Amino acid sequence: MTQNHPMFKAFRVEEVDGQYKGTIKTVPFDPLQDEEILVKVHYTSLNYKDALSATGNKGVTRHYPHTPGIDAVGVVEDSKSDTVKVGTKVIVTSYDLGMNTDGGFAEYTKVPAAWAVQLPDTMSMQEAMIYGTAGLTAGMSVLRLTELVKPTDGKIAVSGATGGVGAISVSILCKLGYSVVAITGKATETDFLKKLGAAEVLLRSDIENFDKKPLLKPLFAGAIDTVGGVILENIIKATSSMGVVTCCGNAASPKLELTVFPFILRGVTLIGIDSQNYPMPYRTKVWEKLAKEWKPANLAEACTEITLETVQSKIDQILQGQIKGRTLIRING
């Protein structure tokens, strides 16, 4: 295959005079090493981390030129692994993909076989990338939360609810019978969140302005927080006895300024979600659930599909907080 087609298209970010710019380039294939696979990418997706990589954020990507894309789904075209065979449909998300390893914004990507999850039979490639890392992170959060909190225990808050992780979390929780309070900074998106199934919508400014007391009136039996900072602080302080809060993001702030009172007086549990290096057995479990009992009926409604040629404009939009739901990029589909 690589002999017949020695080059392929990729969205490459390069540094020119201190500025970072992404354009579609034709690049050569690199030889596969032992335990590596070559995936023909059918779909990828746009994430905030991809936008950071595309603008030269050295906390995400250290070396350029670089191909972003922390998500990819496609078919294995070549393999130097006994565990992943040619022709297998695979999902590749997180680990180092799209960070310092060239990612999914390309016709092909070369990755360690250990990063690949076989695409479930009941999931299409489009669905896999509507989920992507955001869906995997949402699924991990839901898995940990629902192990300890039941729908009858009370309301569940979801912060950053119009984002990828937030929107998918709202959809899954509502399908499982939970009453969801969606927290957002976008007052215009109330109808969108209600359509996903949210019972209530709480504006970010409201929760940011909660009382500064170390404990607040219990409002939530649990929460999935995607933003961190003051919002996470106030969610924790407003969580009821034996409640559970998961945390997977720090867009607002990585810092928490609160006392131990919610933890030792109410028994609140704070669970961190690490989607980048989540163990493979749990990844497989989450993907199977996303493919079956967790799959929302309205999954595609939270998605916009674009092509690689238009990705730059969407990168600008996501950095400005102007994108809701998921952005799917069709490569070879």
Side-chain angles (χ1 to χ4, degrees):
M1 183 273 304
T2 55
Q3 292 178 346
N4 296 332
H5 305 281
M7 308 284 280
F8 64 95
K9 289 195 305 182
F11 181 85
R12 297 288 282 176
V13 178
E14 298 176 305
E15 181 182 5
V16 180
D17 297 328
Q19 300 294 315
Y20 291 85
K21 183 179 179 182
T23 54
I24 296 176
K25 300 279 189 177
T26 302
V27 297
F29 287 92
D30 288 330
L32 286 184
Q33 305 301 313
D34 288 344
E35 296 305 318
E36 286 187 335
I37 58 174
L38 180 69
V39 180
K40 183 176 183 179
V41 180
H42 283 233
Y43 289 89
T44 180
S45 66
L46 176 62
N47 300 274
Y48 188 70
K49 190 176 285 186
D50 299 322
L52 293 178
S53 175
T55 52
N57 187 304
K58 294 300 179 70
V60 177
T61 301
R62 293 188 297 272
H63 305 293
Y64 294 84
H66 175 67
T67 302
I70 64 171
D71 296 334
V73 64
V75 179
V76 177
E77 293 258 329
D78 198 1
S79 174
K80 282 204 169 184
S81 168
D82 293 333
T83 58
V84 183
K85 305 298 183 183
V86 171
T88 305
K89 296 178 181 179
V90 294
I91 306 167
V92 186
T93 61
S94 52
Y95 294 107
D96 191 51
L97 185 71
M99 297 177 67
N100 293 295
T101 299
D102 285 339
F105 287 13
E107 291 179 313
Y108 292 87
T109 187
K110 183 185 73 164
V111 298
W115 293 2
V117 175
Q118 186 169 334
L119 181 73
D121 293 338
T122 54
M123 179 180 286
S124 70
M125 290 192 185
Q126 295 95 325
E127 288 172 339
M129 287 297 96
I130 293 174
Y131 285 128
T133 293
L136 180 63
T137 305
M140 294 172 187
S141 303
V142 170
L143 183 67
R144 299 301 305 274
L145 179 73
T146 56
E147 287 174 342
L148 298 170
V149 179
K150 305 306 176 190
T152 53
D153 292 336
K155 299 175 182 178
I156 304 298
V158 177
S159 68
T162 61
V165 178
I168 295 170
S169 296
V170 170
S171 295
I172 297 172
L173 287 168
C174 292
K175 181 170 186 183
L176 295 177
Y178 289 84
S179 178
V180 176
V181 179
I183 301 170
T184 180
K186 302 173 182 176
T188 57
E189 299 301 337
T190 296
D191 289 344
F192 168 73
L193 293 168
K194 290 289 184 71
K195 197 170 184 180
L196 291 180
E200 300 176 38
V201 176
L202 184 64
L203 291 181
R204 181 177 63 202
S205 56
D206 292 335
I207 196 166
E208 285 176 336
N209 292 320
F210 278 2
D211 199 295
K212 300 300 182 183
K213 295 177 181 178
L215 278 176
L216 299 172
K217 177 183 176 181
L219 298 175
F220 316 118
I224 292 176
D225 175 72
T226 72
V227 297
V230 173
I231 292 174
L232 176 56
E233 292 168 17
N234 287 338
I235 286 174
I236 293 170
K237 291 191 289 185
T239 297
S240 58
S241 178
M242 303 306 291
V244 175
V245 178
T246 69
C247 169
C248 65
N250 59 12
S253 173
K255 295 182 179 180
L256 283 181
E257 298 182 6
L258 74 170
T259 70
V260 297
F261 291 160
F263 308 110
I264 64 174
L265 297 181
R266 287 187 181 159
V268 172
T269 299
L270 178 62
I271 298 177
I273 302 297
D274 171 24
S275 60
Q276 184 172 349
N277 297 298
Y278 203 55
M280 184 56 73
Y282 293 98
R283 285 175 182 263
T284 303
K285 181 177 181 178
V286 169
W287 279 115
E288 288 295 336
K289 286 184 174 291
L290 291 171
K292 297 175 182 175
E293 64 262 36
W294 286 359
K295 186 188 294 185
N298 56 0
L299 178 63
E301 294 181 11
C303 168
T304 300
E305 185 171 312
I306 64 173
T307 63
L308 201 58
E309 285 72 19
T310 58
V311 72
Q312 183 62 58
S313 64
K314 290 294 182 180
I315 288 172
D316 297 337
Q317 289 179 33
I318 199 171
L319 288 170
Q320 295 165 13
Q322 297 176 351
I323 286 182
K324 66 181 181 183
R326 296 283 289 153
T327 299
L328 193 69
I329 305 169
R330 177 166 40 85
I331 307 290
N332 288 300

